[in-house]
């Protein structure tokens, strides 16, 4: 039945309780009632009227009121049954008789009311009490019909307060559920009358009456959530007249309620029913005018419903009554009162407070009851829109509070109402350009900020309104309003600016929180429209499922944006606009009337003049569009003038009569289709429409002097309704409606913040029936990307301006919080450009970008709270959201460099986190690494903050000459603490966690900053800055070794530019060179695929200017040594080893660097551990250069030679391994390589054999002999040996001989001994190889070469004379050689005739050297030899010995 649910069923009789408790409770209640009886009788006896005897006829009896009390007193102590079984009417009736009696005065009535209140408050009655319902009805009837004589104003107010007290107690009692709908309405009506009467009474009564009214409303509507869903309302939607005019007409209570006996004086003879009868639109005076069917049946049904326990019906009527109080202003404005502002502050404000209480307690349960919901959707919201424009800030504030409550509880049912509220009210009032007072602007802004603090408000506005094609962009407008209102343009910062900023930050922080909760961010699919489909009235299939509604609203927003672009084209050129929309697939390729009509009808911002001209055109297509356009309107149950207003507000009515006729014909046809009740045909609608437009022009055109009267209007419209007249009342209503409200035939073009007219409201209510369902959003960040893209720019600008103008620390913190929230959102949504803009804006407030003098800047910075907060925010953003910073790194680096310039930067800012972990495992070689080598860094000036503060803290230093003031030291300490909290070093040491794009931009920013300082190059500070930036660049490079490929090109190109452009030693090139070496040293073990690239980069060192290279050669050698020792196993390519050995070779001739270089070479070549075919030749060549170098002691050269000679073991090992290898081609290639390496080895030793130092060249000769003769296991071919003789042995002998003959003995001491060793080497090697080489065709040539060498040495003169040792040695060696050759059968005379060329040549050379040697060695062939010799002398035989040696 729509009533309250009883907590327990009503019982006729209670079960008998225990006797003792029953007797005790019964006695106590009897005493209570007895005491109240005594109190009433005592007051009555004070009055003479009640003190004597009452005369009635012939007998003198007591008055019936006193008799009833005495009878009750006798009975109460004699009742034996439980109190609940006693009819309450028995002990309540005497008191109620006093209350309704018009013979009693105010004191007596007041005491009786107090007694009733006491009984009600003691819970004597409960739902199990017998006949409790009738008793409650009787109490309400009596109290609401209370009558009394007024003796003084004070006692009158007391009685009125007691009436309120009793009625409120009735509603709060346990048995209030027994009250009927009618009685609850009566209680509310009575209380409101007291409220109205109290306006002429004392302040206390006014406050109590209003408070009681509020409590009643709260008590009633707090039960709404407990109501069942059924609504048994009255048939006509309102209660009958009796509700608020009294319980029944028979008692005439409607005219005498609360009668105080002084009517004529107080109210001028009018009836004292000051409740609803005073207001035409009140519930009590509403009657059914639209009822259909049997009135008697409906009246009986209504009366029956009113007698049911109270529930939804009375709540609907009470709420309707409260809403009707807001309509009072309309009637007063149309009356005689001219000043309504004072009245506007009273009744509407009171009514709004009651409505707010009802909504607060009813909550979302209201949506379950259509009648209540309909009242809120239409009447209440319409009145709220009206009162929101009131000049009273109090009323506006209450209106905003109600709307906020409605948003919380009923927003799903009030979509378009909210759009109207914000577009037509808040956005108008919050801007001064619309003429609102400052107080109105402030209240409107406060309300908007309250809405912004609701987590889902903005996203719901965006999803439901901004993404709805037919709605305005409320979210965008509100965001722009907040950002613009926060700008202090040409004025100091005010509370309004801060308030707007609070709202803006509330929205931003709401987004940040939702993103911070780990809410999923749905990927934004690219929206594209491939073909036209009707979309104007499409609704979301499932508005509760995010996977459905998010793509839907994004698509709608895309369409809306494209439509707005089309609107711009359309307003410039109608034809081109339609063509654009066709190209965007927002209109069909072949235009149809329906689609164009929908475009005109539902698209905002169109030029209404163009629409009117198009619709009025005589073209057939335009006419079809016109009729389709009219068909989009819903004119059902609308008056003709209202329908015409709606129609004409969508376009401008053309000026030509034919166009007007076509437009009105389409309108009339549509109106007649939907509202044919009074009009006979569409022609009647057309004629009447013409007449209304003429009336409108006549009444509202200032140029028309003689105005049309009502009679004129009625007369003009005779016989137009199918030959008959229209009802006079109907025409009269039209006349007055048009006269009161002009029909605008020239509608407003602006779509920004339109005024809410009655016709607009009607249109809104019609649209709300068809609009898309409201999408409820939770705290998940589904649309934050779309929204933030819109408001990020204005938000950053507003934050920047406010922070710039602010002077209060709380405002600073608010702005900083806003910046951090924007940064968080930008990072979460991957909006790099937004984050860069934010960084640029925020860096300006650090005051670090353009510091003046160091001392002044440090002190100023320490005193500047804003600057320190901005600095902390900048580095918080850099550390927290650095992944998404791009160009902003440049600004951050500017701040870092400024801090460094001021001496505020921590000294460990460029520390490498990998230093300790990696270098600790390396052995200590007694030399500092490049990272430990002192280099130029930022100087800590004594005048800087660091210098002053460190002086202050140091106890061991000498007392400074001038101690800084104490306050300066405190500022310095706080500044240091702020900088430490920034964790600037983490930006670089934790750069391993940066995304690739951000890391690359950071590296480029460092190069940019260093290059900028390098270009200046006008002061040491510039160079220091460049060095500092390079240090940071190297730090992030080393910390990101896993991503070195990303950074390498940038880092290498910058270091290369430094090396190539530097011609003098400086800190920058030092840092570049050693940084490069350090990078290679660290990364080689981890990046084998990049090893060649890293090692190739070291060739930059070879390009250093000679002066630069000389300055840093020792440290370079040390770094190369460390690199080799740490990474020798990782260097595998020929190119890599060529770079390393080139660097080592350079150090061979540098006095300071040679030691480290040779140590590295020894590490590679010792025991052949790190020798390989790739580096063998290079290392041998490097060792040769160390052997030839005269830098250092001779032992180093000897050791170098030993390294060279010892390397032959590696060749032997590789040869053995090669023999075991599979594959002929591969083995052959390796064998050839080994031969080539051996040849390069002996060639290297041959070169050292020419050394100026005796010890070195002799040692080289011995080692050469070892390498030539100890070649077992090496695959040396005979051809290679022949090549070796030509390139090594013969060449060396020639060179040694030339040196001995041409150079000073002082330079080359004891060359004679060297020559002896060389000749012995020649002989030994030849004899060792003779058996293998004798079968070769080239053996003769080889042998002749040996003979030639011996002959040359034998005949050579040194310093004008021949060497005795050589003269002794050569014949001896020759003889020994000949003997071996004879023994082996290599040399013999094979034929006496013709002879042998080898023999002949041998004989010839031997005779030249030792004529008797042939005879001694070959005695058997002595005679033949003599003949041969004679023939040669005679010219018979002359062997060709030219070219014996190559």
């Amino acid at each position: 039945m729509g009533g309250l649910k009883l907590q327990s069923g009503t019982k006729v009789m209670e079960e008998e309780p225990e006797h003792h408790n029953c007797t005790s409770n019964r006695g106590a209640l009897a005493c209570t009632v007895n005491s109240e009886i005594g109190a009433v009788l005592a007051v009555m006896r004070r009055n003479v009227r009640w003190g004597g005897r009452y005369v009635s006829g012939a007998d003198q009896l007591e008055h019936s009121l006193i008799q009833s009390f005495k009878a009750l007193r006798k009975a109460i102590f004699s009742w034996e049954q439980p109190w609940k079984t006693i009819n309450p009417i028995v002990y309540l009736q005497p008191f109620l008789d006093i209350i309704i009696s018009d013979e009693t005065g105010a004191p007596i009535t007041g005491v009786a009311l107090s007694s009733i209140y006491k009984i009600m408050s003691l819970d004597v009655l409960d739902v199990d009490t017998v006949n409790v319902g009738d008793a409650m009805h009787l109490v309400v009837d009596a109290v609401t019909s209370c009558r009394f004589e007024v003796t003084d104003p004070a006692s009158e107010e007391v009685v009125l307060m007691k009436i309120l007290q009793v009625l409120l107690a009735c509603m709060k009692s346990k048995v209030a559920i027994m009250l009927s709908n009618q009685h609850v309405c009566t209680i509310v009506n009575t209380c409101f009358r007291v409220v109205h009467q109290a306006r002429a009474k004392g302040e206390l009564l006014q406050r109590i009456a209003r408070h009681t009214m509020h409590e009643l409303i709260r008590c009633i509507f707090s039960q709404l959530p407990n109501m069942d869903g059924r609504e048994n309302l009255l048939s006509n939607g309102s209660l009958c007249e009796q509700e608020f005019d009294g319980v029944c007409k028979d008692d005439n209570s409607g005219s005498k309620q609360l009668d105080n006996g002084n009517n004529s004086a107080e109210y001028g003879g009018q009836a004292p029913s000051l409740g609803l009868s005073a207001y035409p639109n009140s519930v009590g005076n509403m009657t059914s005018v639209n009822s259909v069917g049997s009135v008697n049946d409906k009246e009986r049904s209504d009366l029956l419903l009113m007698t049911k326990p109270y529930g939804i019906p009375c709540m609907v009527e009470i709420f309707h009554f409260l809403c009707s109080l807001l309509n009072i202003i309309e009637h007063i404005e149309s009356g005689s009162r001219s000043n309504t502002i004072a009245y506007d502050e009273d009744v509407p404000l009171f009514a709004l407070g009651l409505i707010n209480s009802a909504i607060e307690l009813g909550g979302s349960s209201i949506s379950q009851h259509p009648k209540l919901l309909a009242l809120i959707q239409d009447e209440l919201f319409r009145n709220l829109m009206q009162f929101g424009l009131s000049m009273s800030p109090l009323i506006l504030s209450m209106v905003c509070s109600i709307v906020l409550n409605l948003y919380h509880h009923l927003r799903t049912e009030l979509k378009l109402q909210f759009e109207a509220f914000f577009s037509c009210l808040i956005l108008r009032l919050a801007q001064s350009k619309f003429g609102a007072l400052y107080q109105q602007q402030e209240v409107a802004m406060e309300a908007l900020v309250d809405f912004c603090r609701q987590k889902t408000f903005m996203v719901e506005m965006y999803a439901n309104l901004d993404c709805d094609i037919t709605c305005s962009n409320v979210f965008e407008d509100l965001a722009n309003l907040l950002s613009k209102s926060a700008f202090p343009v040409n004025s100091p910062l005010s509370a309004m600016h801060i308030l707007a900023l609070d709202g803006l930050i509330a929205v931003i922080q709401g987004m940040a929180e939702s993103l911070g909760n780990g809410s999923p961010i749905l990927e934004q699919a690219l929206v594209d429209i491939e073909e036209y489909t009707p979309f104007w009235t499409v609704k979301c299939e499932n508005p509760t499922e995010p996977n459905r509604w998010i793509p839907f609203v994004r698509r709608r927003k895309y369409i809306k944006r494209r439509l707005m672009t089309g609107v711009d084209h359309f307003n410039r050129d109608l034809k081109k606009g339609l063509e654009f929309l066709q190209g965007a697939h927002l209109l069909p390729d072949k235009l149809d009337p329906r689609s164009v009509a929908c475009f005109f009808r539902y698209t905002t911002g169109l030029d209404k003049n163009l629409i009117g001209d198009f619709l009025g055109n005589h073209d057939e297509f335009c006419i079809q569009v016109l009729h389709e356009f009219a068909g989009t309107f819903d004119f059902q149950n609308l008056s003709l003038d209202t329908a015409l207003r709606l129609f004409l507000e969508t376009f401008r009515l053309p000026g030509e009569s034919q166009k007007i006729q076509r437009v009105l014909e389409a309108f009339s046809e549509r109106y007649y289709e939907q509202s044919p009740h009074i009009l006979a045909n569409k022609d009647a609608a057309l004629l009447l429409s013409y007449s209304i437009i003429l009336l409108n022009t006549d009444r509202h055109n200032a140029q028309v002097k003689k105005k049309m009267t009502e009679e004129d209007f009625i007369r003009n419209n005779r016989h137009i309704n199918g030959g008959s007249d229209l009802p006079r009342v109907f025409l009269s209503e039209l006349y007055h409606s048009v006269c009161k409200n002009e029909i605008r035939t020239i509608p407003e073009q602006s779509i920004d913040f339109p005024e809410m007219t009655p016709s607009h409201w009607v249109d809104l209510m019609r649209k709300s029936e068809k609009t898309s369902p409201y999408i409820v959003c939770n705290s998940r960040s589904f649309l934050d990307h779309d929204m933030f893209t819109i408001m990020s720019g204005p938000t950053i600008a507003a934050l920047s301006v406010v922070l710039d103008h602010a002077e209060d620390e709380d405002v600073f913190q608010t702005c900083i919080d806003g910046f951090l929230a924007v940064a968080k959102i930008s990072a979460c949504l991957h909006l790099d450009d937004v984050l860069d803009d934010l960084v640029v804006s925020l860096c300006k407030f650090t005051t670090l970008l353009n510091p003046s003098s160091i001392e002044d800047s440090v002190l100023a910075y320490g005193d500047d709270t804003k600057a320190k907060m901005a600095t902390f925010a900048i580095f918080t953003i850099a550390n927290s959201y650095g992944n998404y910073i791009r160009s902003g790194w440049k600004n951050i680096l500017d701040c870092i460099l400024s801090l460094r310039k001021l001496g505020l930067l921590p000294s460990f800012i460029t520390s490498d986190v990998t230093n300790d972990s990696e270098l600790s495992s390396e052995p200590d070689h007694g030399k500092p690494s490049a990272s430990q080598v002192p280099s130029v860094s930022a100087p800590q000036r004594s005048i800087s903050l660091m210098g002053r503060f460190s002086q202050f803290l140091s106890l061991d230093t000498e007392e400074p000459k001038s101690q800084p003031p104490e306050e300066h030291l405190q500022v310095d300490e706080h500044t240091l603490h702020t900088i430490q909290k920034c964790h600037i070093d983490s930006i670089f040491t934790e750069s391993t966690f940066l995304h690739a794009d951000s890391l690359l931009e950071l590296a480029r920013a460092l190069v940019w900053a260093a290059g900028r300082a390098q270009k200046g190059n006008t002061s040491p500070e510039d160079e220091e800055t460049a060095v500092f930036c390079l240090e940071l660049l190297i730090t992030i490079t080393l910390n990101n070794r896993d991503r070195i490929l990303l950074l390498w090109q940038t880092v290498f190109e910058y270091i290369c530019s430094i090396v190539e452009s530097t011609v003098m030693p400086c800190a920058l090139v030092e840092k570049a060179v050693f940084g490069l070496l350090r990078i290679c040293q660290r990364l080689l073990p981890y990046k084998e695929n990049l090893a060649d690239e890293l090692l190739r980069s070291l060739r930059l060192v070879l390009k250093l200017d000679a002066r630069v290279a000389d300055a840093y050669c020792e440290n370079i050698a040390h770094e190369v040594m460390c690199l080799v020792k740490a990474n020798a196993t990782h260097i595998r390519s020929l190119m890599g080893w060529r770079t390393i050995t080139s660097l080592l070779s350079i150090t061979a001739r540098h006095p300071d660097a040679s030691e480290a270089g040779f140590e590295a070479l020894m590490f590679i070549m010792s025991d052949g551990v790190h020798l390989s075919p790739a580096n063998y030749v290079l290392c041998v060549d490097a060792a040769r250069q160390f052997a030839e170098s005269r830098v250092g002691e001779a032992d180093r050269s000897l050791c170098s030679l030993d390294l060279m000679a010892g390397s032959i073991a590696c060749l032997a090992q590789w040869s053995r391994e090669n023999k075991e290898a599979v594959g002929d081609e591969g083995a052959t290639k390796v064998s050839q390589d080994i031969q080539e390496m051996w040849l390069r080895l002996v060639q290297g030793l041959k070169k050292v054999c020419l050394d100026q130092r005796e010890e070195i060249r002799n040692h080289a000769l011995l080692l050469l002999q070892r390498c030539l003769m100890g070649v077992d296991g090496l695959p040396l071919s005979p051809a290679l040996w022949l090549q070796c003789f030509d390139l090594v042995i013969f060449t060396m002998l020639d060179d040694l001989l030339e040196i001995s003959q041409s150079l000073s003995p002082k330079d080359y001491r004891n060359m004679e001994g060297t020559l002896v060793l060389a000749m012995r080497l020649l002989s030994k090697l030849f004899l060792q190889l003779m058996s293998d080489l004798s079968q070769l065709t080239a053996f003769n040539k080889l042998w002749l070469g040996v003979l030639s060498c011996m002959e040359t040495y034998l005949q050579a003169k040194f310093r004008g004379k021949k060497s005795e040792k050589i003269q002794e040695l050569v014949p001896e060696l020759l003889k020994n050689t000949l003997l071996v050759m004879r023994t082996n059968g290599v040399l013999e005379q094979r034929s006496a005739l013709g002879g042998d060329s080898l023999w002949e040549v041998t004989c010839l050379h031997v005779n030249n050297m030792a004529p008797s040697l042939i005879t001694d060695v070959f005695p058997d062939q002595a005679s033949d030899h003599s003949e041969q010799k004679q023939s040669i002398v005679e010219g018979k035989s002359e062997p060709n010995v030219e070219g014996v040696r190559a």
Side-chain angles (χ1 to χ4, degrees), residues 1108-1122:
V1108 177
D1110 184 67
Y1112 305 120
C1113 191
E1114 179 180 6
N1115 289 331
I1116 291 174
H1118 179 74
E1119 282 299 312
V1120 173
M1121 178 193 71
C1122 294

Side-chain angles (χ1 to χ4, degrees), residues 1013-1044:
Q1014 190 180 0
K1015 287 179 181 177
N1017 204 22
T1018 57
S1019 66
E1021 289 185 356
D1022 293 329
E1023 184 181 6
E1024 293 169 9
T1025 299
V1027 171
F1028 177 72
C1029 293
L1030 182 57
E1031 288 177 348
L1032 295 179
L1033 183 63
I1034 294 171
T1035 298
I1036 66 169
T1037 304
L1038 293 175
N1039 289 340
N1040 289 274
R1041 63 191 181 195
D1042 294 333
R1043 298 186 289 177
I1044 186 62

Side-chain angles (χ1 to χ4, degrees), residues 1030-1212:
L1030 182 57
E1031 288 177 348
L1032 295 179
L1033 183 63
I1034 294 171
T1035 298
I1036 66 169
T1037 304
L1038 293 175
N1039 289 340
N1040 289 274
R1041 63 191 181 195
D1042 294 333
R1043 298 186 289 177
I1044 186 62
L1045 289 174
L1046 177 70
L1047 298 173
W1048 179 246
Q1049 190 66 26
T1050 300
V1051 175
F1052 177 72
E1053 287 179 358
Y1054 177 57
I1055 293 178
C1056 185
S1057 67
I1058 295 175
V1059 171
E1060 293 177 351
S1061 61
T1062 305
V1063 294
M1064 294 295 292
C1066 64
L1068 182 61
V1069 72
E1070 176 189 4
K1071 179 60 64 177
V1073 171
F1074 292 120
L1076 181 62
L1077 288 166
R1078 188 177 172 200
I1079 291 172
C1080 293
Q1081 180 180 344
R1082 291 288 185 83
L1083 300 183
L1084 276 176
Y1086 303 98
K1087 292 294 176 182
E1088 294 184 2
N1089 60 330
L1090 197 62
D1092 289 346
E1093 187 69 26
L1094 291 171
L1095 294 171
R1096 186 182 296 112
S1097 67
L1098 294 181
R1099 302 191 71 83
L1100 279 177
V1101 179
L1102 304 175
K1103 298 180 180 180
L1104 285 171
D1105 185 90
R1107 290 165 291 187
V1108 177
D1110 184 67
Y1112 305 120
C1113 191
E1114 179 180 6
N1115 289 331
I1116 291 174
H1118 179 74
E1119 282 299 312
V1120 173
M1121 178 193 71
C1122 294
L1123 185 149
V1124 169
K1125 290 183 176 181
N1127 303 287
T1129 57
H1130 303 289
I1131 305 173
R1132 297 185 174 90
S1133 68
L1134 176 64
M1135 186 281 304
W1137 280 113
R1138 178 175 288 111
T1139 302
I1140 295 296
T1141 55
S1142 297
L1143 293 172
L1144 296 179
S1145 299
I1146 293 175
T1147 65
R1149 290 172 175 79
H1150 196 282
D1152 298 324
S1154 60
E1155 181 179 353
F1158 183 68
E1159 185 176 348
L1161 186 62
M1162 284 187 62
F1163 179 81
I1164 298 171
M1165 298 186 67
S1166 295
D1167 301 326
V1169 176
H1170 299 293
L1171 282 176
S1172 67
N1175 68 358
Y1176 183 86
V1177 174
L1178 298 171
C1179 291
V1180 166
D1181 187 63
R1184 177 189 61 78
Q1185 294 189 51
F1186 274 99
E1188 293 176 343
S1189 174
R1190 305 192 68 174
V1191 175
E1193 299 178 357
D1195 289 343
R1196 184 183 300 161
S1197 297
L1198 296 175
C1199 186
S1200 299
L1201 290 172
D1202 292 337
L1203 290 176
M1204 294 176 67
S1207 67
I1208 197 170
C1210 293
L1211 297 179

Side-chain angles (χ1 to χ4, degrees), residues 263-284:
N263 295 339
S264 60
E266 185 82 19
Y267 301 104
Q270 294 182 4
S273 180
L274 299 177
L276 308 180
S277 60
Y279 309 109
N281 285 349
S282 64
V283 175

